[in-house]
Amino acid sequence: MSKEDTQKSISPDINELWNGQSYRHLTPEIVERLNNLLEFTQPGDLREHLLEIYHSYILRGYDSLPGNFKELADGVQMLLDFLKLAQKELNARQGSEPNCSDN
């Protein structure tokens, strides 16, 4: 998927689906871009890649971790949990086997 594809305007279908829903942190554009991301890569694969990068960062440490490391770690964990849930939901919808571990 090209960068231009991810930056095109919101499709009319997504606006119809949105139709009056009230989500504090989501907009139709955010949902559309998340959908584009999930069409590009499976959530389980993205989760595994992020875990690998994150663990490499921790192992190297470069003498010390940042002062706000707990906040960073909490944010990463929330993202990883979301990706795990997203993969399970997609698997259930598609009737397929899990694509990520239970880490």
Side-chain angles (χ1 to χ4, degrees):
M1 177 177 297
S2 70
K3 185 175 180 181
E4 293 80 29
D5 289 339
T6 61
Q7 294 180 342
K8 41 182 191 182
S9 63
I10 302 301
S11 66
D13 293 340
I14 193 79
N15 287 322
E16 285 179 28
L17 290 173
W18 210 252
N19 195 17
Q21 295 292 329
S22 176
Y23 297 100
R24 187 170 159 206
H25 299 289
L26 297 176
T27 65
E29 183 173 356
I30 291 170
V31 171
E32 179 87 4
R33 288 180 182 233
L34 179 59
N35 188 59
N36 290 342
L37 173 65
L38 297 178
E39 286 179 4
F40 176 73
T41 186
Q42 290 288 308
D45 292 339
L46 181 57
R47 181 177 181 270
E48 293 301 318
H49 299 313
L50 289 172
L51 277 168
E52 187 174 329
I53 292 167
Y54 182 66
H55 288 136
S56 294
Y57 173 78
I58 291 171
L59 290 172
R60 292 199 175 101
Y62 300 108
D63 296 326
S64 67
L65 296 172
N68 65 341
F69 183 75
K70 174 148 179 27
E71 292 171 15
L72 295 172
D74 289 344
V76 168
Q77 186 61 52
M78 288 174 63
L79 177 59
L80 295 174
D81 290 346
F82 166 76
L83 292 170
K84 184 177 180 180
L85 173 76
Q87 186 65 59
K88 286 181 181 179
E89 291 288 320
L90 288 175
N91 289 344
R93 173 181 268 188
Q94 298 166 354
S96 62
E97 293 297 314
N99 191 28
C100 65
S101 65
D102 287 333
N103 294 337

